[in-house]
Amino acid sequence: MRLTRKQATQELILDTAERLFAEHGMFAVSNRQIGEAAGQGNTAVVGYHFGSKADLVRALVRRHTAEVERGREAMLAEVGGSAEVRDWVACLVRPTTDHLAALGTPTWFARFGAQVMTDPGLREIMVSESLASPSLQQTLDGLNRCLPSLPLDVHLERGDIGRHLIVHMCAERERALARDAPTPRATWQEAASGLIDALVGMWLAPVSPVEGSRTAEEPA
């Protein structure tokens, strides 16, 4: 019984923290405020269950990554050794959008992720947890194989652009849905298709020649 009550309290804290972080940002929300918003009489309850804010953020990220990982693994099984950029980009986008769709409305995970990625102290948690995903590494390897002639500096730049597009476009759609505001696409599945189109176009866009550029096949 105590274990069940403890787990329920932890889930309540995680739900509350994710919502507050998504709506107000990482700096504006303290562990004390999370405990109060979760209806906990002990204002130190967040630290008791999760430790520091960084530990809490890591727990929030990890409770979503398992579902995203399963979705990406299923897509990779279908993609196989594809030479199509679109297939690998879809493996980057759809596991997250499918997960957000499954959560229902409102959700806060996409906006929480956007807030974390703009925080210099917490961003590395999101990045390290993502890079620990075997399916994500396999997806990035597959995408890289499709773009061998892309100059390395451009490749790295477009990787950054793609990451920001995925994070912030999902956050923008989630924010609009929470406010019952109009969205360009009716569903998360359609939103994913539009995002994939944009990202494929970015990856395959022409490159202005720059003296000294290296290809992705050349060592740094």
Side-chain angles (χ1 to χ4, degrees):
M1 179 66 72
R2 282 195 299 272
L3 181 60
T4 301
R5 188 174 296 124
K6 179 180 179 180
Q7 290 172 332
T9 299
Q10 289 174 340
E11 284 300 308
L12 176 60
I13 291 170
L14 291 172
D15 287 341
T16 304
E18 187 172 275
R19 174 175 59 81
L20 292 179
F21 286 148
E23 293 177 343
H24 303 292
M26 310 305 296
F27 286 115
V29 179
S30 67
N31 282 1
R32 182 187 183 93
Q33 289 171 316
I34 294 169
E36 290 174 349
Q40 302 298 304
N42 180 0
T43 55
V45 66
V46 177
Y48 170 77
H49 284 284
F50 295 101
S52 67
K53 179 178 284 189
D55 295 326
L56 176 61
V57 168
R58 186 173 287 103
L60 283 165
V61 172
R62 286 180 176 176
R63 79 168 181 162
H64 291 279
T65 52
E67 285 299 322
V68 174
E69 182 81 359
R70 277 191 285 271
R72 185 173 289 117
E73 287 172 349
M75 289 191 67
L76 287 172
E78 296 179 2
V79 166
S82 174
E84 296 295 325
V85 170
R86 179 175 295 275
D87 288 336
W88 299 107
V89 171
C91 289
L92 289 174
V93 174
R94 289 201 184 276
T96 297
T97 55
D98 287 350
H99 178 58
L100 289 165
L103 291 175
T105 302
T107 59
W108 293 275
F109 178 56
R111 285 171 289 168
F112 160 75
Q115 295 283 6
V116 171
M117 290 300 287
T118 58
D119 184 295
L122 299 173
R123 179 180 182 276
E124 289 307 311
I125 295 174
M126 180 74 83
V127 172
S128 63
E129 290 294 328
S130 296
L131 293 179
S133 159
S135 68
L136 180 59
Q137 287 293 340
Q138 185 178 346
T139 299
L140 294 175
D141 289 343
L143 178 60
N144 292 342
R145 288 194 300 272
C146 295
L147 303 163
S149 62
L150 198 64
L152 181 59
D153 50 356
V154 176
H155 194 114
L156 295 173
E157 178 185 52
R158 292 186 181 183
D160 288 339
I161 293 170
R163 182 171 58 254
H164 283 289
L165 279 176
I166 294 171
V167 169
H168 291 285
M169 289 303 293
C170 286
E172 283 299 310
R173 175 176 172 78
E174 185 184 71
R175 184 178 294 108
L177 291 175
R179 296 174 178 175
D180 199 25
T183 58
R185 306 276 181 150
T187 67
W188 276 109
Q189 288 74 20
E190 292 176 9
S193 296
L195 186 52
I196 291 166
D197 289 343
L199 289 168
V200 170
M202 177 201 68
W203 279 111
L204 298 180
V207 179
S208 300
V210 178
E211 186 177 354
S213 292
R214 292 173 281 112
T215 69
E217 293 180 322
E218 294 175 338

